[in-house]
Amino acid sequence: MTAAEFLEARGKPHDARKISQDEAESGAGRVPEDLIEFWMQYGVGYYANRNYWLCTPVLFEGFFRRLLANVPELKADDLVAFGYSSLGTVNLWHRAGRHFTFSLDVGLLMDLTSRSRTDPPPHDLEEIYRAAGMDMPQNAVELFLEARSAPEDIWNILLAATSADTYRAIYDDNGKALTPQLRRNLGELSQDEIYVRDRNAVENLADHYQKMKVSEAVSRVPGEIHYSFAVEVAGQQQILSQTIVAGR
């Protein structure tokens, strides 16, 4: 997907804040160039009824570099934030074209690219081709394996993250849509604000959330990081998890 296709699908960011040249350059060599051009032309603002906010690396500059310093085989300086959800899930871009997320409330770092790159070919591959009106080529499995190793597309990531349907499908433990309740109880979010759940709460209910600045949420991140990633073993995907002391 291109920036122009994303713009056609989602439009310009709402309540956008113009950024300076220096702020734009904070992403130079760290995020795709067309994202920097998008920031410069349209600014950073919200999508999906204030449930997803674009940001530049400046918002979290230094934080992830310190916090993730102890994650094995990962150079924290290679990761920068480019957006975050109303519930505090930050999208991180790795300069090698990889996608990570970090949940500020529970300290969960997920290597999403490792999942896509170890995903085995679907068992119904032939049916997928047939549904698309195509004959399955003899090298369909090889084509699948080749495609999964391609660099991530940051615009596809943003397209999914800015879908309003994504947030309508989040429910609390009573089976009620969560984000509308949070807006009624706590008010709309402004830039650099998120809804944060009390980590001591057993149940996931709207009454257990509060609204706070991103900077405050960052200061409350747990002292341990839960790092989730996937590996391939004998052609099958395994999800592994490590608990790592957060850098400070």
Side-chain angles (χ1 to χ4, degrees):
M1 169 172 274
T2 65
E5 290 170 333
F6 173 81
L7 187 65
E8 183 178 357
R10 294 286 186 256
K12 300 175 185 178
H14 302 282
D15 196 19
R17 173 182 64 82
K18 291 296 184 181
I19 67 171
S20 68
Q21 185 68 38
D22 287 345
E23 187 174 355
E25 289 177 356
S26 70
R30 305 165 80 191
V31 298
E33 185 63 31
D34 56 356
L35 179 59
I36 298 175
E37 294 172 0
F38 188 92
W39 292 338
M40 289 296 293
Q41 186 167 359
Y42 303 110
V44 293
Y46 72 81
Y47 290 95
N49 197 19
R50 297 179 185 265
N51 279 309
Y52 191 83
W53 296 78
L54 301 181
C55 71
T56 67
V58 168
L59 182 60
F60 294 95
E61 197 66 81
F63 168 68
F64 285 115
R65 185 182 297 116
R66 294 190 303 272
L67 188 80
L68 306 180
N70 299 329
V71 179
E73 300 181 8
L74 183 66
K75 187 177 179 181
D77 199 40
D78 287 338
L79 287 168
V80 292
F82 61 95
Y84 59 94
S85 77
S86 58
L87 299 177
T89 297
V90 183
N91 275 305
L92 298 169
W93 184 257
H94 189 284
R95 69 172 77 236
R98 298 175 65 86
H99 179 210
F100 291 73
T101 60
F102 187 83
S103 299
L104 293 171
D105 58 344
V106 295
L108 173 63
L109 175 68
M110 296 184 66
D111 180 352
L112 298 184
T113 298
S114 70
R115 282 166 163 72
S116 61
R117 291 187 178 176
T118 58
D119 200 22
H123 67 278
D124 57 349
L125 193 56
E126 185 173 0
E127 294 177 17
I128 293 173
Y129 273 94
R130 188 181 302 117
M134 302 168 59
D135 293 329
M136 188 176 80
Q138 290 185 342
N139 63 338
V141 171
E142 289 79 3
L143 291 173
F144 174 87
L145 296 176
E146 181 180 345
R148 74 177 187 175
S149 63
E152 298 279 9
D153 184 331
I154 202 166
W155 298 107
N156 278 335
I157 293 168
L158 284 171
L159 187 72
T162 55
S163 169
D165 291 341
T166 299
Y167 304 97
R168 283 195 285 264
I170 299 174
Y171 298 95
D172 68 7
D173 285 349
N174 286 332
K176 297 180 180 179
L178 179 60
T179 54
Q181 294 182 78
L182 296 177
R183 285 196 297 274
R184 288 195 299 269
N185 294 354
L186 302 172
E188 296 280 11
L189 295 175
S190 299
Q191 257 188 10
D192 303 347
E193 288 183 333
I194 58 174
Y195 301 121
V196 178
R197 179 184 170 190
D198 180 355
R199 67 172 61 104
N200 295 318
V202 176
E203 295 181 299
N204 182 27
L205 300 173
D207 290 344
H208 297 156
Y209 285 77
Q210 58 182 302
K211 182 169 66 173
M212 65 176 62
K213 291 285 189 182
V214 167
S215 57
E216 183 181 355
V218 161
S219 69
R220 291 159 46 100
V221 169
E224 290 184 333
I225 297 167
H226 305 288
Y227 180 32
S228 175
F229 57 97
V231 297
E232 188 173 8
V233 178
Q236 297 298 313
Q237 184 183 82
Q238 288 189 10
I239 306 297
L240 303 180
S241 181
Q242 295 179 359
T243 300
I244 301 161
V245 176
R248 296 297 182 185

